Amino acid sequence: MDVPTAANILGTLGAVCWSIQLIPQIVINYRRHNATGLQPTMMMLWAWAGVPLGVYNIVEDFNVALRIQPQILIVLSLVTWIQCYYYEKHWTVYRSLALVIPVMCLMGGVQVGLIFALRHAKERDLEWPMILMAVLAAALLAAGVGSHYVDIYLHRTVRGISFIFVAIDALGDVFSLISIVFQPKLDILGMVIYATEFVLWSGIFACGAYYNLFPWLKSKYGKQSDSSRSDVLQDGGAVTASANTTSVALHDFPSSTSVFRTASAESEVHRQRSVSSRVMGVAHTPSRVA
């Protein structure tokens, strides 16, 4: 199906969605002056995913929007990545730039070199290099999202992730995938790249429903006997705490102020705050005179 206008519009929407889901995180980090809870590994994986994705989209002559999209992913992912070191490791601006600029140039150089090499391979009817690029792009994108699955498995909850921005990211995958359908030639590998990440984000939504939404609905609308209510109250309001936890995870938890923070990272944040509170409490305790 060859509809260039539709392919460009959908590709542009996909690129915009991928931009929207990272720019707010960068702005939030800047306003908070910290990147607490973010995983720099995830950002770096997404940045490197943009290299084989850019090579594939350019060599396969995808529409302009899909060619630019990986470059946006690389730049925004690297900016978010270096913010983790600038704010959390207290690096100077010069040290941060001295690291991120060479890395960005390296990625650009690798991508340009691969584009020329794979175009030459394509002229010789070699298919495996393009298959390799597609596999690498899908694997790196999946690895970035996969870190959340590890966190969900360990904590049996989905917290700290903005479901709004996850939906935007997934929508970007959908727009990009459909954009490929309107290309002159239907590219199955290209569709697999975007479909892989979309399926993984869908799994995050399913986990959120299973671990957060369903228990919250059950605790809110489920019928409980008076005796069980009193037992729960005697145990310290466990039901209330459970309802609040899941409710916050869906609404007021850092998902409303952060995009890709994780439950394990949030646990570490609360632990550090608890330690800091105890230290401050000890510091303010008046000494006794014997």
Side-chain angles (χ1 to χ4, degrees):
M1 186 182 297
D2 185 6
V3 186
T5 302
N8 277 291
I9 292 175
L10 291 167
T12 301
L13 289 174
V16 169
C17 287
W18 274 23
S19 302
I20 290 175
Q21 55 95 12
L22 272 178
I23 289 176
Q25 185 68 71
I26 294 172
V27 174
I28 289 168
N29 294 340
Y30 173 76
R31 290 179 176 177
R32 291 187 312 198
H33 298 292
N34 72 71
T36 304
L38 284 178
Q39 295 183 345
T41 303
M42 176 183 177
M43 296 299 113
M44 181 55 74
L45 285 170
W46 275 0
W48 275 110
V51 174
L53 181 60
V55 172
Y56 190 90
N57 290 1
I58 291 173
V59 175
E60 287 294 333
D61 292 326
F62 283 179
N63 59 76
V64 175
L66 289 185
R67 297 183 195 184
I68 296 175
Q69 183 193 65
Q71 320 314 321
I72 295 174
L73 177 65
I74 292 173
V75 172
L76 295 181
S77 296
L78 284 179
V79 171
T80 310
W81 172 71
I82 201 61
Q83 280 185 320
C84 296
Y85 291 91
Y86 176 73
Y87 289 119
E88 299 306 311
K89 303 295 184 180
H90 305 293
W91 285 17
T92 64
V93 174
Y94 296 108
R95 185 180 181 184
S96 301
L97 292 176
L99 176 62
V100 73
I101 292 177
V103 170
M104 191 177 297
C105 292
L106 173 64
M107 291 182 176
V110 169
Q111 186 174 173
V112 171
L114 287 173
I115 288 171
F116 283 106
L118 267 68
R119 278 178 173 170
H120 180 66
K122 190 176 181 180
E123 291 173 356
R124 298 176 57 188
D125 295 326
L126 292 177
E127 296 183 359
W128 69 264
M130 292 303 296
I131 296 175
L132 178 61
M133 289 298 104
V135 170
L136 283 175
L140 289 171
L141 287 172
V145 182
S147 59
H148 292 300
Y149 280 88
V150 175
D151 209 72
I152 291 169
Y153 175 77
L154 293 175
H155 295 270
R156 298 297 191 274
T157 186
V158 184
R159 297 184 302 174
I161 304 174
S162 171
F163 288 100
I164 295 175
F165 289 107
V166 167
I168 293 173
D169 196 335
L171 195 60
D173 293 323
V174 172
F175 284 135
S176 301
L177 195 155
I178 300 175
S179 175
I180 296 174
V181 175
F182 289 101
Q183 289 287 127
K185 179 183 176 182
L186 186 63
D187 193 297
I188 301 300
L189 287 177
M191 295 177 67
V192 168
I193 294 173
Y194 292 104
T196 299
E197 190 182 44
F198 173 73
V199 169
L200 289 174
W201 281 134
S202 299
I204 296 293
F205 274 104
C207 291
Y210 180 78
Y211 287 115
N212 295 11
L213 181 60
F214 293 159
W216 179 75
L217 292 175
K218 184 177 180 180
S219 64
K220 186 173 183 179
Y221 298 107
K223 295 181 179 179
Q224 298 178 345
S225 62
D226 293 335
S227 59
S228 64
R229 290 175 183 271
S230 61
D231 291 339
V232 169
L233 290 174
Q234 291 176 0
D235 290 336
V239 170
T240 303
S242 175
N244 288 338
T245 299
T246 51
S247 176
V248 166
L250 292 174
H251 301 287
D252 301 325
F253 210 74
S255 61
S256 61
T257 59
S258 188
V259 180
F260 296 116
R261 299 171 82 169
T262 60
S264 59
E266 289 303 320
S267 299
E268 179 64 19
V269 172
H270 292 310
R271 185 189 68 79
Q272 292 175 357
R273 288 177 179 174
S274 178
V275 171
S276 299
S277 298
R278 288 199 297 269
V279 171
M280 291 179 64
V282 171
H284 286 85
T285 302
S287 59
R288 295 181 180 180
V289 180

